[in-house]
Amino acid sequence: MMLLKDILYRVSLQAVSGRTDIPIESIVFDSRKVTTNSLFVAVRGTTSDGHIYIPQVLEKGAGAIVCEEIPE
């Protein structure tokens, strides 16, 4: 397990909302694999946009989300 701030170390960020000193147990790109304290990476693909799954991963207990577009 790592802290989010350690995972994001030296990554160029445009914005941060919330704390970065939270524990992350896994990093996932598939919303179906999100568990409590997962870091979900929302990726725009050719057939699906991971951003549309952000509400679902929050309900599943994702600890953090990395995305290109900040949801409303």
Side-chain angles (χ1 to χ4, degrees):
M1 181 167 31
M2 294 183 74
L3 293 178
L4 178 60
K5 66 181 180 178
D6 296 330
I7 295 169
L8 297 176
Y9 178 69
R10 299 187 81 171
V11 173
S12 177
L13 303 172
Q14 294 206 0
V16 174
S17 177
R19 298 176 26 218
T20 59
D21 61 342
I22 60 171
I24 298 296
E25 295 180 5
S26 62
I27 300 172
V28 295
F29 296 85
D30 185 337
S31 63
R32 296 169 292 186
K33 296 181 180 179
V34 169
T35 59
T36 303
N37 294 330
S38 292
L39 167 61
F40 175 67
V41 181
V43 178
R44 281 196 184 101
T46 56
T47 59
S48 183
D49 183 354
H51 291 78
I52 65 172
Y53 300 105
I54 290 175
Q56 290 175 347
V57 300
L58 289 172
E59 286 181 19
K60 287 183 166 184
I65 299 169
V66 171
C67 57
E68 294 178 53
E69 202 174 286
I70 298 174
E72 295 179 17

